[in-house]
Amino acid sequence: MKALYFAWVRERIGKAEEEITPPQGVKTVADLIGWLSGQGEGYALAFENNKTIRAALDRAHVKHDAAIENAREIAFFPPMTGG
Amino acid sequence: MKALYFAWVRERIGKAEEEITPPQGVKTVADLIGWLSGQGEGYALAFENNKTIRAALDRAHVKHDAAIENAREIAFFPPMTGG
Amino acid sequence: MAETLATRTVVRVQAETFDTAAETLALTEGRTDLGAVVTFTGLCRDEGGVLASLEIEHYPGMAEEEIGRVVEEAKQRWPLAGVTVVHRFGLIKPGEPIVLVVTASLHRTEAFEAASFLMDFLKTKAPFWKKQHLSEASSGGWVGAKQADDAAAERWKA
Amino acid sequence: MAETLATRTVVRVQAETFDTAAETLALTEGRTDLGAVVTFTGLCRDEGGVLASLEIEHYPGMAEEEIGRVVEEAKQRWPLAGVTVVHRFGLIKPGEPIVLVVTASLHRTEAFEAASFLMDFLKTKAPFWKKQHLSEASSGGWVGAKQADDAAAERWKA
């Protein structure tokens, strides 16, 4: 699936997007955050306060307990500051 | 003093303004409404539901119990419908 | 801080129409400290097609003064960087603007609240009266004051 | 009645600035049934002179969709004749506009409330992030989300 990162999540990870292939056991957004946190220093830093990280599956906001299922796109970002 | 009439108060009285010289006993706005009501059919009609009539003394809203004192201008009109 | 902002203030009562963009620019031009601008435009409705025109009578002199008093109260209540109120009188056709309120401030809440407050008090305090002229032979008549408008003004007294 | 009004709806996310007057005209042109138009413009503040520019990052695709969802909810809640939301991204200088909300309706209350609601939810739901670039050597940084904005959005849930 495609992973997108925005704002300081993007800056810490060092890329705006990538294709990821999480292992079988990764079922929820929280599982995916846990797995990504182990992918390197930048990831660990990006997700260190994972409660503050927001997620969207296929361009709709979801909570961390949401099932990923067949989503084609997941995005991680800080709380929004538009408007 | 100068009396001004607006909207249907003006239409019923048949004039937009006039100089009036109320007798000594007329102290308040309510007194003046009472006196004006006796000045002819149009006046009686204009003030028949006197609770709905608003008044201004020298261009500031006042209640019917306000003292007229040395006001130079008094205005009578229905509830406002601007905006 | 409200104290350090110069509050640009414009109050006008006029027969001619107004240009919302120009009025807004007059409040905001040359400023880089503003965060929010709210405009309210009140329009003449055709009332389902039966209205030919609206005739707005006003009390010259008092109209400007009373709007000025309402604007001063808004400035006391909210830290505003700018306020404009323009109210028309005379004959107005459906679709034409009647009244304009513009508020400018640092943050959105005060601009929204002040604009809403100004409209509620213009409705109940500013000496204007609307008479409807209908498309059909019947003459229409004076628009009655709405209890809903009094209630809207009351809510700011809490 | 809300059902019989065609609600003109415009949602755009763009780098270039916008023209509030033209956007408003697009909602109101040719209509004589409207009584109220509210516009909200959010501007880039200079933050006491220290801000050189604001850089707004967004999530292309989701930004438009999420704004669309917020607009749909506003249309469910209030009988609106028209709604426009334009949100910019990219580099924005102090004094420039960032976001525009226009609401048109028969009566003023719904136009005010819907515009305020839209802004509260754009702040907390639309995927945009602001980074400050300061005039001095220091780089500035990402703007933090405000608890006040969450609280403002919460008040519509009563």
Side-chain angles (χ1 to χ4, degrees), chain C residues 73-74 77-78 109-122 124 149-158, chain D residues 108 112:
Chain C
E73 183 159 353
R77 283 176 175 241
W78 292 278
T109 308
E110 52 258 34
F112 270 124
E113 289 189 359
S116 182
F117 170 93
L118 285 163
M119 280 307 304
D120 286 347
F121 278 86
L122 290 181
T124 55
D149 288 331
D150 290 332
E154 278 297 320
R155 73 194 163 105
W156 300 101
K157 293 181 181 164
Chain D
R108 72 188 185 285
F112 270 124

Side-chain angles (χ1 to χ4, degrees), chain D residues 22 54 57 91 97 105 111 123 134 139:
Chain D
L54 213 50
E57 183 169 334
L91 215 60
S105 59
K123 289 254 176 197
L134 304 186
S139 82

Side-chain angles (χ1 to χ4, degrees), chain B residues 10-11 59 61 73 81 83, chain C residues 57 59 69 87 125 131:
Chain B
R10 171 180 55 72
E11 290 180 342
R59 302 180 173 180
H61 292 294
E73 188 171 300
T81 55
Chain C
E57 181 169 336
Y59 183 170
R69 283 189 280 268
H87 201 304
K125 303 271 271 177
K131 189 174 195 174

Side-chain angles (χ1 to χ4, degrees), chain A residues 7 10-11 59 61 73 83, chain D residues 57 59 69 125 131 142:
Chain A
R10 172 181 54 71
E11 290 181 341
R59 302 180 173 181
H61 292 294
E73 187 172 302
Chain D
E57 183 169 334
Y59 183 169
R69 284 189 279 267
K125 304 271 271 176
K131 190 175 195 172
W142 293 98

Side-chain angles (χ1 to χ4, degrees), chain C residues 11-34:
Chain C
V11 172
R12 285 205 321 276
V13 173
Q14 62 189 40
E16 57 273 26
T17 191
F18 51 76
D19 177 343
T20 301
E23 300 295 343
T24 303
L25 190 64
L27 284 194
T28 60
E29 196 164 31
R31 294 189 77 140
T32 51
D33 58 336
L34 302 175

